[in-house]
Each structure stands twice: as C-alpha cells, then as structure tokens.
Amino acid sequence: MRSLFFGAALLFLSGSVYAQFEIGLNGGISTTTRPVKSLYTGNKNVWNYAADLNFRYNFSEHWQVGLSAGMTKWQRKGEWELTHTAGDSLSTEDVKFVLAQRAVSFALQLNHVIPFYERYEHYVKSQVYFGLSAGAVIVGNDGDVIYSKVNANTPVEYTYTSEFHYESGYGMLLGAQVGYTYYLNHRWGLNLEFAPKVAWVRTYDSRYAGANNQYSVWYLPTTVGLHFRFGGDI
C-alpha cells in the first residue's frame, strides 16, 4: 500500500514539474464582416482596435488550456446615394454602422502546441499553437442616431443619417486561434496571434420592428503582445 501511494505521488510530481503557466497582454487590429439577419449591414470593412488579456496552462508538452478576455469595436461603413424630395440626385455619402462601441468577450481555449527547444538547452525557445475557443460576448452600445446635412442653408438642403448605432446586447461565441511565441529568455516572449470568432448576438433594439434585434457576425482580431511564463520546467 505504501509503495502504491509513493508511486502515485511520484506520478503527480512528475506531471506538476512540467506544468507551466503563461500570462499575456496583446493589442492590435480587427475588422468585422457583414452581419447576418440584420437590417443595416454596410458594404465596407473598417479596421478598429483589438485588445486581449490571456492566461494559459500547459498541462503537457503539446496541450494547453486557457482563458481569454478581449475587447474590440464592431463597425462597418456603407455608401448611401442621397436623393432630394424633388427627385434630384445630390451626392453619395459614407454612413457608419456601429454594431458595438465595445464588444467584450470571455472565452475558454484549448490549444495544441508544437514546441521548439533551444539547442543544447532544455527549455522551449519558441512555439506554434492552434486551437478552438468558446465563450460569451457582451455588447456595449447606446442606440444613437447621428444626422448630417448636405447643401446646408440652400434650397436643396438635405438631412440624412450619417451614423447608426445598434443597441446593447449579449451573446455566445465560437472561435479559433493560431499563434506563434518567440521567447527572449526563460520567462519573457513575444507573441503573434490571429483569432477569428463568430458571435450570435441578441440586443434590445425595438426599432424597425426589431430588424436589428438579433444577428450574427464574424470578427477577425490580429494582435501582437508580450507574454510571461512561470512554473514547471522552462
């Protein structure tokens, strides 16, 4: 019996020796595809900021689990051809569609890791990883509508919607991530990650008979960051 407990303890300790933790802060850019099942979509992509705070646990040489908290802005742009009430064509103006001033996501991750070791050294010098994620998204917005004018103070003055904001909401998301981390030393590393996600969102927007109340959208964060690892055999 004593030998059994001793063997189990050795097995646990050998696993915990490898266990590594890593925390990272990333920043970069993201764009949003045309939303599905929505009245206003826009026909042009817009680049916005993207930020991500992540915590990961390597429970073996080739597998890691993690938690990611990210934030970005969902915005698109369209072109509306303006026509005066008399039927005259005025101009074509850009219109902004702000789906989310702040889209805050929380996701669990599972990654497969391919490590590359430093020559003559027993620690990971760099690694490639890829995996899947699932979680929730909270959408912050104000439902504002902003108006502008063309030909102001003339007989053909025309007022149009230049910016349309969706309402706040919430939803679920699924995603994937692929990345590369190069370690400057045993502790610090530089990370590059591409993490496309699809979100299904429900808002509280009753305008236009709820035409923007539910939608799905893809967004594509690409970020770089600084990572710090600790614990285990590094």
Side-chain angles (χ1 to χ4, degrees), residues 162-178:
S162 59
E163 193 166 327
F164 183 88
H165 293 197
Y166 284 43
E167 292 284 0
S168 297
Y170 61 92
M172 61 173 291
L173 66 84
L174 293 175
Q177 57 278 339
V178 57

Side-chain angles (χ1 to χ4, degrees), residues 80-196:
W80 282 4
E81 184 175 345
L82 305 182
T83 304
H84 194 260
T85 53
D88 299 326
S89 178
L90 298 177
S91 62
T92 301
E93 301 292 334
D94 287 338
V95 179
K96 296 179 181 178
F97 301 101
V98 182
L99 284 72
Q101 293 278 11
R102 296 167 304 280
V104 181
S105 62
F106 303 92
L108 295 174
Q109 299 180 339
L110 175 64
N111 291 325
H112 182 67
V113 180
I114 303 174
F116 301 93
Y117 289 91
E118 175 72 357
R119 190 177 183 183
Y120 307 124
E121 297 280 354
H122 187 60
Y123 76 93
V124 175
K125 183 62 177 177
S126 63
Q127 65 182 20
V128 173
Y129 61 89
F130 53 91
L132 300 175
S133 58
V137 61
I138 301 172
V139 176
N141 216 341
D142 52 21
D144 279 356
V145 179
I146 299 175
Y147 299 95
S148 298
K149 293 182 179 181
V150 294
N151 302 324
N153 303 316
T154 70
V156 289
E157 178 181 288
Y158 188 85
T159 301
Y160 70 98
T161 301
S162 59
E163 193 166 327
F164 183 88
H165 293 197
Y166 284 43
E167 292 284 0
S168 297
Y170 61 92
M172 61 173 291
L173 66 84
L174 293 175
Q177 57 278 339
V178 57
Y180 173 75
T181 305
Y182 177 81
Y183 294 99
L184 304 173
N185 52 42
H186 285 68
R187 299 294 182 185
W188 294 96
L190 299 177
N191 175 259
L192 171 65
E193 182 177 271
F194 175 60

